[in-house]
Amino acid sequence: MSTEHEKQKEIRRILRLLESTANVVETSSGISFESDSSGEGAARCARQFNNALTHLIELDAVPEELFEPLEMNATFGDICFACHQVAAYLKEGICHDFDFADVKKTIGNELKDVGEVIRQSMPSFLKDVIDGSTEKEQNDSEPVTVEVTSEEDEEISVTQRIEKLEEQMETVVEILQELRTRQVEENED
């Protein structure tokens, strides 16, 4: 991985894979924890777990000696248990359970004065439109709509804008998680 950010992102992907695998095994009514009739499903899950574990070791996310690879004759119960163990280890190491409500509160506190800053830095013609003091608005009862766009915005669709914003928010969340982890580490020292 080229950056720590990308490494953490990959670790979170593997964590979700392990949690998903354990969840499927636990919630699937057609899967027996002891074995499946052909053994192919369990063997496939065991191979997938072993691949994930190998990748996590390569990323230095888990110590090589801590977790053992699964045997190809492992049962679904063994696979589920192994996935939960590695997932629990990863959760403790990369981030605390993410609480979006807490992030919204933090972001809200940081950005509480943004509206006022924006209003103060607006060109006067926009202030007039927003305050309702334009001549046209005083004479007509129709609402006035002002759309501020750049040439770059005109070339992309609303869907693309939303996707771009989602990517940016994901980056913000990841940065906040990393900062929270650093803060916890500093508090432990």
Side-chain angles (χ1 to χ4, degrees):
M1 298 276 124
S2 60
T3 67
E4 184 65 26
H5 175 72
E6 289 173 359
K7 178 181 168 183
Q8 291 297 319
K9 198 172 184 178
E10 182 68 11
I11 292 169
R12 281 192 292 276
R13 284 185 191 124
I14 296 171
L15 171 62
R16 284 191 295 269
L17 171 78
L18 294 171
E19 289 177 327
S20 175
T21 300
N23 186 42
V24 167
V25 170
E26 291 173 335
T27 59
S28 294
S29 60
I31 296 177
S32 166
F33 267 100
E34 298 309 315
S35 65
D36 62 307
S37 59
S38 67
E40 291 178 27
R44 184 178 192 296
C45 286
R47 276 192 308 275
Q48 186 63 45
F49 172 83
N50 291 342
N51 291 339
L53 182 60
T54 300
H55 194 48
L56 288 168
I57 291 169
E58 290 170 355
L59 293 169
D60 292 326
V62 297
E64 188 170 355
E65 307 80 28
L66 187 59
F67 299 103
E68 293 180 16
L70 291 171
E71 300 291 328
M72 287 304 111
N73 62 350
T75 66
F76 281 117
D78 295 334
I79 295 164
C80 186
F81 186 72
C83 286
H84 279 302
Q85 283 186 318
V86 174
Y89 182 86
L90 291 174
K91 279 184 181 179
E92 198 61 33
I94 63 169
C95 67
H96 301 284
D97 288 337
F98 184 71
D99 182 7
F100 193 69
D102 190 37
V103 171
K104 286 189 337 189
K105 189 185 312 177
T106 303
I107 291 172
N109 289 340
E110 294 296 323
L111 301 177
K112 64 184 175 189
D113 298 324
V114 168
E116 185 59 32
V117 171
I118 291 171
R119 279 189 286 284
Q120 290 176 359
S121 61
M122 260 188 233
S124 61
F125 76 90
L126 285 178
K127 285 182 186 176
D128 293 343
V129 169
I130 290 174
D131 292 338
S133 60
T134 63
E135 289 181 31
K136 180 179 182 182
E137 191 171 346
Q138 290 173 355
N139 295 333
D140 299 335
S141 60
E142 295 179 27
V144 175
T145 304
V146 175
E147 186 173 334
V148 179
T149 61
S150 67
E151 290 177 24
E152 179 181 298
D153 289 342
E154 292 175 9
E155 296 175 9
I156 60 174
S157 70
V158 172
T159 303
Q160 290 170 323
R161 288 181 191 172
I162 291 171
E163 289 171 356
K164 187 176 180 182
L165 286 171
E166 286 173 344
E167 289 173 6
Q168 291 170 344
M169 285 303 296
E170 182 177 301
T171 301
V172 168
V173 167
E174 289 171 354
I175 290 169
L176 289 171
Q177 286 176 332
E178 187 175 314
L179 290 173
R180 180 183 287 167
T181 301
R182 286 184 189 168
Q183 184 180 25
V184 167
E185 289 172 355
E186 289 174 2
N187 291 340
E188 290 175 355
D189 294 337

